[in-house]
Amino acid sequence: MNIGLEKYRHYYETLIESELFSHVTHNSLNQLLEISTAQKWPKKTCILDTSHTQYTFHVLITGKIKVYHFDSTNDRLLTLLLLQDNDVFDIFSLMGCGTHKVYYEALENSEVLNIPVAKMKEWMKDNPLVHKSFLAYTVQKMNILERYIINVALEDIPTRLARLLYNNMDKSSAHYQSISGLSHVELGALIGTTRAVVNRHIQNFKEEGILEVSRKQITITNVKLLEEKILGKNV
Amino acid sequence: MNIGLEKYRHYYETLIESELFSHVTHNSLNQLLEISTAQKWPKKTCILDTSHTQYTFHVLITGKIKVYHFDSTNDRLLTLLLLQDNDVFDIFSLMGCGTHKVYYEALENSEVLNIPVAKMKEWMKDNPLVHKSFLAYTVQKMNILERYIINVALEDIPTRLARLLYNNMDKSSAHYQSISGLSHVELGALIGTTRAVVNRHIQNFKEEGILEVSRKQITITNVKLLEEKILGKNV
DNA sequence: CCAGTTTTGCTACTTAAGTAGCATTCTAAA
DNA sequence: TTTAGAATGCTACTTAAGTAGCAAAACTGG
């Protein structure tokens, strides 16, 4: 990346805000940007070639990207993580953890930095302190995965759906909108089921007065009832 | 720990073998042992007090410990990880990741080192390089959790059971024994179901000639058939 | 504005998983 | 050696989840 460009400032300021790079010196961060190339991933960009993320490490600057697994046996998708600003991927290939069979799709127009894995490893060798922040970051993600396992293994689908809606409620707006822009297929992939089942339970919730729906948009009309769906079944 | 003791040598040699501490200098490892106390956890020892692991970091020297979650709604256990030699816990509390609602149980007579979290953090500050090996370690565990999610969310129980048996087959012995010493309740906790369902599928497998059972012991009699249960459904 | 695609809503059906309960067998502690 | 508890095997039943398929509605790109 030509760090003389105006754009460079934007990336620099995003990274320095990130918990991953906040402690990195000005010089080192510049070095990181020098081995980076910026790329735009328009909405719906898919990375289905696992070798790409195997050799290129990414920092998500803006946008939203889902990490998902595809099961060919029953033609089902499972979203493992939603990546947002300042997330990085793929930490598995960075640590040489064999092949990591996941795919990526930009759910919104996104901007990413591309860094060759080999160069990233070198940079980390020169900046050993980042291992600490990467460790903290990874542990946080692991915590999310752990709760995901517990949800999928022990809770029924209405509970999982309710929790998904609850956790993604936009409490700032007057009307509690949730998970904007995702279809029922996407919702199913997020909780490990199919669109038909998601739709069934959404209709049930609607009848119970918990929410209202319009296309790709869910509005929670009764937060208390939604909470009750989750509570009494562990928080 | 009084590092003059004969026992000390045993702990030292175990740690230096571990990928987590192998690069640590002799002096630093001694310092680590000085802030450690050794403890025996006989088989069936349970740690149900989450505040214990919140303030004490552990290194498992020998034995086997399961990390599990308990769901009070439906009275079910879910085993998240099996810890073995040179595993450490709990990395969540070490990284200050809030409370981590999991319990521990020694499945075999185990020997652990106890290290106060605050002292461990200090020691890590003095030995910043360990962050790198802890990162690699954590990423490995995260990989296991990720596959766990995929299994539980997308595969049926016969497949999950078959995979569990397959992954735990003792290929060294002439007779392929698998998961020795665990009851059907434990097997259920490992794949996210109940003992009744585990038993049902074990009986099916038995009829299909895949395995033979005796109390707390399963012997695989036809590995190929077992593999077929898993394959064709992603590896 | 039209044509084609995506998304949603819904019905009917199949199947797997979960639940309850009990009898038998095995094991370990008194 | 006895006995209480644990583990297993099994039956019958209930319920939730998955599947298939179709039609209406709502977008989107040309």
Side-chain angles (χ1 to χ4, degrees):
Chain A
M1 181 185 292
N2 179 346
I3 64 169
L5 294 175
E6 169 60 23
K7 275 240 137 181
Y8 153 74
R9 197 194 175 87
H10 166 52
Y11 300 124
Y12 185 93
E13 309 226 310
T14 309
L15 290 187
I16 205 74
E17 286 291 313
S18 151
E19 54 171 317
L20 284 170
F21 301 105
S22 59
H23 63 281
V24 173
T25 66
H26 181 69
N27 265 352
S28 288
L29 205 53
N30 277 345
Q31 278 164 20
L32 182 64
L33 286 169
E34 271 169 36
I35 57 173
S36 307
T37 53
Q39 198 171 32
K40 301 228 175 207
W41 290 10
K43 195 171 172 173
K44 299 205 173 174
T45 302
C46 289
I47 308 296
L48 303 175
D49 172 19
T50 50
S51 74
H52 178 251
T53 45
Q54 203 175 346
Y55 297 115
T56 311
F57 185 70
H58 301 83
V59 184
L60 177 52
I61 301 294
T62 56
K64 192 189 276 186
I65 294 175
K66 77 166 178 190
V67 187
Y68 68 99
H69 175 89
F70 175 65
D71 184 81
S72 55
T73 315
N74 47 15
D75 249 52
R76 266 169 66 180
L77 301 174
L78 184 72
T79 300
L80 295 167
L81 274 175
L82 287 181
L83 303 175
Q84 297 189 307
D85 307 4
N86 283 322
D87 272 318
V88 295
F89 58 102
D90 178 311
I91 205 133
F92 291 100
S93 46
L94 186 65
M95 302 309 293
C97 208
T99 38
H100 185 212
K101 274 194 78 178
V102 296
Y103 307 112
Y104 297 86
E105 182 186 332
L107 296 179
E108 296 173 6
N109 292 327
S110 303
E111 216 173 355
V112 301
L113 295 183
N114 290 353
I115 309 169
V117 164
K119 285 191 178 173
M120 185 66 194
K121 281 183 179 169
E122 247 176 74
W123 183 83
M124 287 177 80
K125 204 174 272 178
D126 296 336
N127 296 273
L129 279 180
V130 294
H131 290 106
K132 187 174 180 179
S133 49
F134 270 64
L135 175 59
Y137 173 83
T138 305
V139 168
Q140 271 176 37
K141 294 294 176 194
M142 190 152 89
N143 201 354
I144 294 173
L145 291 187
E146 200 173 279
R147 271 178 295 174
Y148 200 166
I149 294 173
I150 293 169
N151 286 347
V152 171
L154 297 177
E155 294 182 339
D156 58 16
I157 291 178
T159 310
R160 269 139 70 188
L161 178 61
R163 177 168 282 125
L164 179 71
L165 296 174
Y166 188 78
N167 289 340
N168 290 278
M169 250 183 348
D170 181 5
K171 285 153 192 154
S172 61
S173 72
H175 297 285
Y176 297 99
Q177 297 196 323
S178 188
I179 316 266
S180 33
L182 297 189
S183 70
H184 294 179
V185 175
E186 294 288 350
L187 298 185
L190 281 164
I191 59 174
T193 185
T194 60
R195 79 150 199 94
V197 178
V198 167
N199 183 264
R200 182 182 299 161
H201 293 293
I202 286 181
Q203 299 310 316
N204 292 346
F205 285 8
K206 200 165 72 179
E207 271 181 32
E208 295 172 41
I210 295 175
L211 46 77
E212 279 170 10
V213 292
S214 61
R215 175 165 266 233
K216 285 195 176 186
Q217 188 57 55
I218 293 172
T219 309
I220 308 299
T221 52
N222 191 326
V223 179
K224 237 179 198 168
L225 281 177
L226 184 66
E227 281 169 347
E228 277 170 26
K229 283 273 164 198
I230 304 168
L231 279 154
K233 313 190 175 186
N234 296 347
V235 184
Chain B
M1 182 184 292
N2 181 348
I3 63 169
L5 293 176
E6 170 59 23
K7 275 240 138 183
Y8 151 74
R9 195 191 176 88
H10 165 52
Y11 300 125
Y12 185 93
E13 309 226 308
T14 308
L15 290 188
I16 206 73
E17 286 292 312
S18 153
E19 53 171 319
L20 284 171
F21 301 105
S22 59
H23 63 283
V24 172
T25 65
H26 181 69
N27 264 353
S28 288
L29 205 54
N30 276 346
Q31 277 164 20
L32 182 65
L33 286 169
E34 271 170 33
I35 57 173
S36 307
T37 53
Q39 198 172 33
K40 302 229 174 205
W41 290 10
K43 195 171 173 174
K44 299 204 172 174
T45 302
C46 290
I47 308 296
L48 303 175
D49 173 19
T50 51
S51 73
H52 178 252
T53 46
Q54 203 175 349
Y55 297 115
T56 311
F57 185 71
H58 300 83
V59 183
L60 177 52
I61 300 293
T62 57
K64 191 190 278 185
I65 294 175
K66 77 166 177 189
V67 186
Y68 67 99
H69 176 89
F70 175 66
D71 185 81
S72 55
T73 315
N74 46 16
D75 249 53
R76 267 169 63 181
L77 301 174
L78 184 73
T79 300
L80 295 167
L81 275 175
L82 287 181
L83 303 174
Q84 297 189 310
D85 305 5
N86 281 323
D87 272 317
V88 295
F89 59 101
D90 177 308
I91 205 133
F92 292 100
S93 46
L94 187 65
M95 302 309 291
C97 209
T99 39
H100 185 213
K101 274 195 78 181
V102 296
Y103 306 113
Y104 297 85
E105 181 185 333
L107 296 178
E108 296 173 6
N109 292 328
S110 303
E111 215 174 358
V112 301
L113 294 184
N114 291 354
I115 309 169
V117 164
K119 285 191 179 173
M120 185 66 193
K121 281 182 180 170
E122 249 176 73
W123 183 83
M124 288 177 79
K125 205 174 271 176
D126 296 336
N127 296 273
L129 279 180
V130 295
H131 290 106
K132 187 174 180 178
S133 49
F134 269 64
L135 176 59
Y137 173 83
T138 305
V139 168
Q140 271 177 35
K141 293 294 176 194
M142 191 152 87
N143 202 353
I144 294 173
L145 291 186
E146 201 173 278
R147 273 178 293 174
Y148 200 166
I149 294 174
I150 294 169
N151 285 347
V152 171
L154 298 177
E155 294 182 338
D156 58 16
I157 290 177
T159 310
R160 269 140 68 189
L161 179 60
R163 178 168 282 125
L164 179 71
L165 295 174
Y166 188 77
N167 289 341
N168 289 277
M169 244 178 357
D170 182 5
K171 283 152 192 156
S172 61
S173 74
H175 298 286
Y176 298 99
Q177 297 196 323
S178 189
I179 316 264
S180 33
L182 298 189
S183 69
H184 294 179
V185 175
E186 293 288 352
L187 298 185
L190 281 164
I191 58 175
T193 185
T194 59
R195 80 152 197 93
V197 178
V198 167
N199 182 266
R200 181 182 300 160
H201 293 294
I202 285 181
Q203 300 310 316
N204 292 346
F205 285 7
K206 201 166 71 181
E207 272 181 32
E208 294 171 41
I210 296 175
L211 47 76
E212 280 170 8
V213 293
S214 60
R215 175 166 267 230
K216 285 196 177 183
Q217 186 58 54
I218 292 171
T219 308
I220 309 300
T221 52
N222 191 326
V223 179
K224 238 179 197 168
L225 282 177
L226 184 65
E227 280 168 348
E228 277 169 28
K229 284 273 164 198
I230 304 169
L231 280 154
K233 313 191 177 185
N234 298 345
V235 184

